[in-house]
Amino acid sequence: MTLAKTAIIGIGATEQGEIPGQSANEIAARAAVKAIEDAGIDKSAIDGLVTCKPPMAPGKVGTDEDIGQLLGINPAFASTLEYGPGAFSLHLAVGAISAGLAHTILLTYGTNLRSAGASFGGGTRDWLTLAGLVHIAGPAAMAARRHMHLYGTTEEQLGWVSVAQREWAQNNPIAIFREPMSIADYLASPYVVEPLRRPDLTMISDGGAAVIVTTAERAKDFKKPPVYIQSIAQQSAMRSDQNPDKLMRPWIKDIADRVFANAGLGPRDMDLVYLQDATSVWVLQMLEWYGFCGVGEAGPFLQEGHTRPGGSLPVNTNGGQLSECYMWNWMHLYEAVRQLRKECGSRQIADVEVALHAQTHDFYKGAATILSTHAG
Amino acid sequence: MAENKFPDVNDPATAPFWKGTRDGKIVVQACTKCGYLRWPPGPICNECLSSETEWKEISPIGTLWSYAVYHRAMNPRFKDEIPYTVALVELDDGPRMYGRLVATTAKVEPGVRVRAAFQEIEPGVTFVYWEIK
Ligand SMILES: [Zn+2]
């Protein structure tokens, strides 16, 4: 089966930050309403629904049946992902359209994990927790230390991930962290898990986001310019520590090779890059595995300022999860679509046509999408 | 959500490992079909999928792959232990294990050689720590 030509024709987001007193499902439904408005359609045009369970949410939260009920729809196709950040939900929708299960799919995500006081500090009695290796900061710190050892990467070079994204966030009214942060400020902040500092780690925030995907044929009938999905690819690394160099995540290169080959494009063709940033180390690694610089060269590449506003490779122009909000890569997708539609105001990059949207589920798996203003 | 800090050392799935640590040994599952040394413990061989297995002592020597120094307790259960260092060790026999690094004045750097140090943390429960050779 070949991949159907599909396009994003609607996006929506709620306010980001703290949304006390609202359920995750309510937030997801409000985001969906915004995406439906953005697409300029009646909800009856939607025949597919993809939802996901928010991270750390207890019990039955985010299911298709509950969100479909809130929105008053009876889609032909409906599914809920246990792990459904932006790219994974998007790929499920593209697959369902290719299979003919639906033609216009609403994807939505909502979370109240900040207001609910969710903790990412672990608590299961597994081998890593017994060793005290709790929170993603621990393994990410090990990966950063290994990179420093192998390639001479410095803490300052790593710091440019967070500093550059803060610079982008200053022009993003949605961003939660907008106060200026210099590289000196970064280096002056205390370690959390050495060599990582607070600015190297994602915030935790409440919010909702939604996307509507349809066939490229139908996309022309909607009111907003379509953003076409040119290519998708995924790879997992489920064997975990039985894989050598697990923490360096070399399998990301497999995703890169496939997503570029599927599109007939290479890293140099990307006008915009969105890399999910649970930690700054993920950005460092993905810059290398996606071929924006050589393996081991991300430190100098970052220090040279390529990813900053005005640089040669705009990365996470919304500020990412380090500065904008923690939306599981959904707001990276939202920003990519808005940039490609030229809706980003003072941080709009001129003449952008192609974007890479990539994410990883820590050490387990990853997904990437190439988005384009061209149908071809 | 108070979690017990200590594992159930009598769980049949892992008891031979914990008996090994009490005896000052690292003992892991070895596949009797293909010989693969399995860590963490599991019901089937991750290599050949055989469920025939035996527990076998392996070398307690390895190489430090990397480490992380916790300056903040990311989980409240560790707040009294800050700062502490967690090591990832590649054992000479193959398995990769996480464990605390014993405090040291030696230079800590990926690539240094380490050996297991067995520390009883409560009666009957002995953890594998790592010390620089
Ligand atoms: Zn075997």
Side-chain angles (χ1 to χ4, degrees), chain B residues 31-36 45-50:
Chain B
C31 175
T32 54
K33 188 173 168 206
C34 77
Y36 181 69
C45 175
N46 304 101
E47 199 68 30
C48 77
L49 306 183
S50 166

Side-chain angles (χ1 to χ4, degrees), chain A residues 121-123 125 127 129-135 138 142 145-146 149 191-194 239 241-242 244-245, chain B residues 3 6 18 36 39 46-47 65-67 69-72 74-75 77-78 84 86 96 98 100 109-110:
Chain A
R125 213 181 329 166
W127 296 98
T129 305
L130 285 176
L133 193 73
V134 286
H135 195 281
M142 286 185 174
R145 176 64 66 199
R146 180 80 179 176
H149 168 73
Y191 290 125
V192 174
V193 182
E194 186 180 346
R239 276 194 81 168
D241 282 299
Q242 292 176 352
D245 291 330
Chain B
E3 290 277 338
F6 307 113
W18 295 113
Y36 181 69
W39 186 261
N46 304 101
E47 199 68 30
W65 189 89
S66 192
Y67 65 97
V69 185
Y70 280 72
H71 292 265
R72 287 241 306 269
M74 306 307 278
N75 179 312
R77 85 154 75 154
F78 300 111
Y84 66 86
V86 184
R96 301 177 183 88
Y98 296 94
R100 294 294 177 85
E109 198 177 359

Side-chain angles (χ1 to χ4, degrees), chain A residues 65-151:
Chain A
E65 59 204 52
D66 289 337
I67 291 170
Q69 193 278 331
L70 285 177
L71 295 170
I73 56 175
N74 303 305
F77 169 75
S79 191
T80 300
L81 285 173
E82 168 74 20
Y83 184 80
F88 291 99
S89 288
L90 182 64
H91 292 189
L92 179 62
V94 170
I97 291 171
S98 287
L101 289 166
H103 54 70
T104 303
I105 302 186
L106 168 67
L107 297 64
T108 187
Y109 167 59
T111 182
N112 63 357
L113 58 90
R114 180 171 189 87
S115 297
S119 165
F120 283 80
T124 55
R125 213 181 329 166
D126 59 25
W127 296 98
L128 274 60
T129 305
L130 285 176
L133 193 73
V134 286
H135 195 281
I136 195 60
M142 286 185 174
R145 176 64 66 199
R146 180 80 179 176
H147 201 276
M148 290 169 178
H149 168 73
L150 290 177
Y151 308 117

Side-chain angles (χ1 to χ4, degrees), chain B residues 99-120:
Chain B
R100 294 294 177 85
L101 196 69
V102 176
T104 178
T105 53
K107 186 168 166 54
V108 180
E109 198 177 359
V112 298
R113 299 286 283 161
V114 294
R115 75 154 63 85
F118 298 91
Q119 300 213 2
E120 184 174 70

